[in-house]
Amino acid sequence: MTFQLALFGHPVKHSLSPQIQQNFAQQFNLKINYQLIDVRGDQLIQKVHEFFDQGGHGANITVPHKQSIMTVTDHLTERAQQAGAVNTLFKKKQQLWGDNTDGAGLLNDFNDKNISIKNKRILIIGAGGAVQGVLPNMVQSQPKSIHISNRTLKKAEKLAQSSNLCHALSDTPINTSFDVIINAPSLGHQGQSPDLEPEWLSLNTIAYDLSYRAAAQPFLTKCKSMGIQQSYDGIGMLHHQAALAFALWFNHIPKQPLNDKFRTNY
Ligand code: ATR
């Protein structure tokens, strides 16, 4: 039997998910067909229903539908509720569930890289859907503080309300550098990096971009030019969120990391 899987989003054509999921499936001798379904908002609900009515086994959801898909599901897991976003759909007892594996995927990748955020000072740049999705898991890891910097300060302030560990970063100077800086605005897709203030950085600051490959390059290049020695793109997070989705669909946890052809080194 071939299990039908799909990614719904816009755009989806450059997604690595089909290769990643094929690799996982081979680890367990499972046959899958992972389709990329490019869909705009007004078609999303209909297309998702069609997919599952025709025997779809599970799906991933990506930008820009991670929030709007929440109206389609019968149930949401606790972490999807906390994140306010869904990236994985699975069936249980004929009911459609929405979950979010992004935050756990990020923490699993930190774990692979021996990055501990407990008691650390964190800066997140960006306050969009990607940040909203990972923030609850980051807060649960008990960092010392999470500052959120965003072009639109109000959005950073709104996200920061979720926990007393979080603060919106305004123009007020800060007097200590950050241990970990996470980049999450969609700017990298336009070949740009956000500005970084020298006082944010120390020799030990770790930089991490939630996007991967070309989209992460502008930020990671800037970090290097400012002396940051440890910087990563989000390819590891991508694999981990995919592995957690696979586990929801098949009850098997695939091996991580995958082979080197998927890895990006800086
Ligand atoms: P995603 O799901 O990838 O997070 P999103 O929800 O559209 O996408 O959020 C995009 C993020 O990138 C936001 O933080 C946005 O800042 P605003 O809240 O001010 O819109 C940020 N962003 C996008 N373009 C930007 C730009 N040219 N300069 C600075 N920040 C930008």
Side-chain angles (χ1 to χ4, degrees), residues 21-188:
Q21 295 295 346
Q22 280 300 346
N23 186 300
F24 292 158
Q26 281 161 15
Q27 293 180 27
F28 303 99
N29 288 323
L30 292 168
K31 270 203 185 143
I32 63 163
N33 176 33
Y34 191 103
Q35 299 173 59
L36 297 176
I37 302 181
D38 194 321
V39 59
R40 291 184 182 269
D42 54 351
Q43 294 272 298
L44 176 71
I45 295 178
Q46 186 201 333
K47 293 277 177 199
V48 169
H49 280 309
E50 264 172 34
F51 173 76
F52 281 101
D53 289 347
Q54 289 164 13
H57 184 71
N60 287 127
I61 306 295
T62 191
V63 180
H65 304 313
K66 288 184 181 184
Q67 276 88 23
S68 49
I69 196 68
M70 293 169 80
T71 57
V72 181
T73 52
D74 300 312
H75 304 279
L76 294 170
T77 61
E78 201 182 323
R79 58 187 182 183
Q81 287 174 39
Q82 284 174 351
V86 160
N87 79 333
T88 304
L89 298 175
F90 63 98
K91 278 269 174 112
K92 197 161 124 185
K93 295 184 185 156
Q94 307 304 318
Q95 305 267 291
L96 189 61
W97 281 76
D99 193 6
N100 191 315
T101 66
D102 285 331
L106 175 64
L107 293 185
N108 286 353
D109 193 41
F110 280 174
N111 201 34
D112 277 356
K113 296 177 162 64
N114 287 322
I115 301 172
S116 165
I117 61 169
K118 190 164 181 178
N119 291 324
K120 297 286 172 58
R121 285 172 51 81
I122 314 293
L123 171 66
I124 300 180
I125 304 173
V131 176
Q132 188 185 325
V134 300
L135 199 56
N137 290 71
M138 296 200 59
V139 167
Q140 281 157 20
S141 301
Q142 300 175 305
K144 189 168 183 183
S145 58
I146 300 180
H147 285 79
I148 303 170
S149 162
N150 193 45
R151 175 178 63 179
T152 312
L153 182 63
K154 271 205 163 3
K155 279 167 74 180
E157 287 171 344
K158 186 152 184 258
L159 278 186
Q161 283 169 5
S162 63
S163 159
N164 55 12
L165 292 179
C166 297
H167 315 273
L169 189 72
S170 54
D171 291 333
T172 327
I174 49 134
N175 36 24
T176 343
S177 59
F178 295 102
D179 299 300
V180 180
I181 300 184
I182 295 173
N183 188 45
S186 44
L187 267 181

Side-chain angles (χ1 to χ4, degrees), residues 7-29:
L7 171 68
F8 294 88
H10 179 76
V12 288
K13 72 169 183 264
H14 297 298
S15 170
L16 293 177
S17 295
Q19 287 162 269
I20 293 173
Q21 295 295 346
Q22 280 300 346
N23 186 300
F24 292 158
Q26 281 161 15
Q27 293 180 27
F28 303 99
N29 288 323

Side-chain angles (χ1 to χ4, degrees), residues 213 239 257-265:
R213 296 196 166 163
H239 283 116
L258 289 173
N259 57 39
D260 287 345
K261 76 174 175 181
F262 290 110
R263 300 249 138 218
T264 317
N265 294 314

